[in-house]
Amino acid sequence: MNIRSVTHIDNVRLSDSGDAVVIIDQSLLPNETVYLNLKEPEELYDAIHELRVRGAPAIGIFAAYAVYVLARRHAALDYDSFYVNFAQDRDYLDSSRPTAVNLHAMLTRMDGVVRAGREKPVPEILECLRDEAIAIHREDMDMCRAISEYGLELVKDGFGVLTHCNAGPLATSRYGTGLGTLFLGAERGMTFHAYCDETRPLLQGARLTTYELQKAGIDCTLICDNMASFVMREGRIDACFVGCDRVAANGDTANKIGTSGVAILAKHYGIPFYVFCPSSTIDFGCKTGADIKIELRAPEEIKEKFFIQPTALPEVKCLNPAFDVTDAELITAIVTEKGICRAPYTESLAALFGGGEA
Ligand code: MRU
């Protein structure tokens, strides 16, 4: 592979016939590259819940296509019955994961298309739904590219960058958010040294971020999450780059569990900590991070998954929060498609996005 084949990876798309969503099964990477054709409500729901498709923007794009695919089944109904079925599918998909706002936001956007079309014949509404899902996908490509351009203002050639989780092409479209600057910079001849947190317990950093960077020929080194302090102390890290799942109006940011610890370490060592955020991930309805619901997942992900033998007695209790909130005060800047926001974020985010129209 080269940079372009990574940044143009086909992670989520509508099938040619429009009756399925096609994804790379991210839960099998990097060992197997398997594409799935998903049509049934349960398999679409499970794809999100089981992280076959993951990353806040990718989940939003997937949900938009998924609700369209499901809506096609109700094409023969009158508007009112169509809407009842559509709303059921929308709510079912929306319940698959709680933290990344993109899922709810994109389903709400699709809902708006149906309601705006109430005077149209249902087949025409379906066309509008397909067009909206494609528009959501294209907008994400543009946002990722713009975010990556702004990110280049924050780096110099030879920078060491610490990453957490995966905010690359697999999690988004095209360049990604948190990794986009590295891909775009590399395309323009810059070199970077990425240190990738493995990201326990589901290992998105190990399995996906190093996969993307390695295939693109960008220097990357895998570390366990508890080694971040070591590489920072050794002076290997010039900046931390992370994505986000929901950014509150005051800049508090929910991202993959462990992100807040990285931010605290970065502050200790005086290293800038940057969040890369498409406007689709800002939730002005959340005033602060305290309003963000954190997903709790199964204990087996900690004790059993990825291990040959269980790592603890079956009766040992586990707490498995999938995300944590990084306080705005720990964030050096939030890089969006419209520019770079700095504290106070309540003002800077509202100035760029109108405090509610993001
Ligand atoms: O549980 P995941 O893998 O969906 O969590 C993903 C993350 O936390 C990413 O950092 C975030 O969605 C940003 S993706 C651009």
Side-chain angles (χ1 to χ4, degrees):
M1 274 207 221
N2 54 25
I3 298 174
R4 194 184 152 82
S5 60
V6 175
T7 56
H8 285 63
I9 207 157
D10 227 357
N11 57 334
V12 181
R13 70 173 175 86
L14 192 62
S15 68
D16 293 341
S17 53
D19 66 345
V21 193
V22 184
I23 60 166
I24 290 188
D25 186 342
Q26 295 193 43
S27 69
L28 300 178
L29 287 172
N31 299 312
E32 289 174 71
T33 305
V34 174
Y35 285 86
L36 303 173
N37 257 282
L38 306 171
K39 295 179 178 174
E40 299 302 324
E42 294 74 22
E43 57 188 13
L44 291 161
Y45 174 100
D46 281 353
I48 303 174
H49 188 262
E50 299 306 313
L51 277 62
R52 296 189 181 99
V53 58
R54 50 143 302 280
I59 292 171
I61 296 160
F62 176 85
Y65 285 134
V67 84
Y68 162 69
V69 163
L70 294 178
R72 284 167 49 114
R73 300 172 160 222
H74 318 307
L77 301 178
D78 62 47
Y79 177 83
D80 287 340
S81 312
F82 174 80
Y83 187 65
V84 168
N85 283 278
F86 173 86
Q88 267 170 12
D89 296 336
R90 178 203 64 201
D91 291 348
Y92 178 55
L93 292 170
D94 203 1
S95 65
S96 56
R97 292 190 81 189
T99 304
V101 69
N102 304 60
L103 174 62
H104 180 71
M106 296 311 128
L107 288 170
T108 304
R109 196 165 144 180
M110 296 294 276
D111 181 80
V113 169
V114 178
R115 284 188 290 107
R118 71 164 55 243
E119 304 303 333
K120 295 180 183 158
V122 167
E124 224 176 279
I125 298 176
L126 284 171
E127 278 176 33
C128 296
L129 279 173
R130 188 199 53 219
D131 292 350
E132 190 73 4
I134 292 169
I136 286 170
H137 197 170
R138 292 208 174 122
E139 283 167 27
D140 191 61
M141 291 176 195
D142 292 345
M143 288 192 286
C144 287
R145 174 79 192 205
I147 286 170
S148 308
E149 288 282 1
Y150 280 116
L152 284 174
E153 295 178 13
L154 304 170
V155 291
K156 291 199 187 104
D157 197 34
F159 250 39
V161 172
L162 186 100
T163 68
H164 192 76
C165 195
N166 171 261
L170 287 162
T172 62
S173 347
R174 300 280 159 91
Y175 285 80
T177 54
L179 297 184
T181 298
L182 305 186
F183 291 115
L184 196 59
E187 266 180 3
R188 295 178 185 171
M190 295 176 79
T191 53
F192 301 108
H193 307 286
Y195 289 84
C196 307
D197 279 354
E198 66 176 351
T199 319
R200 283 273 287 145
L202 295 181
L203 308 178
Q204 291 92 332
R207 295 187 302 103
L208 307 174
T209 298
T210 64
Y211 171 86
E212 291 174 337
L213 294 173
Q214 190 75 34
K215 297 276 185 196
I218 296 171
D219 180 61
C220 65
T221 302
L222 175 62
I223 58 170
C224 299
D225 299 342
N226 56 6
M227 297 167 189
S229 178
F230 179 91
V231 292
M232 288 183 183
R233 181 181 280 271
E234 284 208 329
R236 295 171 188 243
I237 307 299
D238 297 294
C240 302
F241 281 11
V242 299
C244 50
D245 289 82
R246 194 180 293 239
V247 174
N250 74 339
D252 287 351
T253 293
N255 190 49
K256 180 51 54 193
I257 189 72
T259 302
S260 67
V262 174
I264 291 165
L265 286 175
K267 184 170 186 186
H268 177 77
Y269 289 108
I271 296 167
F273 180 90
Y274 298 117
V275 170
F276 293 76
C277 171
S279 51
S280 54
T281 308
I282 303 170
D283 184 357
F284 286 106
C286 288
K287 275 193 172 154
T288 74
D291 299 329
I292 300 175
K293 182 166 184 204
I294 299 295
E295 176 182 15
L296 295 175
R297 295 185 61 88
E300 293 70 36
E301 291 181 350
I302 296 182
K303 286 195 283 192
E304 292 172 28
K305 204 174 163 86
F306 300 117
F307 295 102
I308 292 170
Q309 292 183 328
T311 59
L313 292 172
E315 62 272 28
V316 170
K317 285 191 291 179
C318 286
L319 176 67
N320 185 11
F323 300 93
D324 61 20
V325 172
T326 301
D327 292 333
E329 66 181 36
L330 297 170
I331 299 170
T332 311
I334 299 179
V335 185
T336 77
E337 77 273 15
K338 285 197 182 172
I340 300 175
C341 295
R342 295 189 187 261
Y345 294 107
T346 308
E347 277 89 34
S348 58
L349 289 171
L352 280 190
F353 299 105
E357 288 150 26

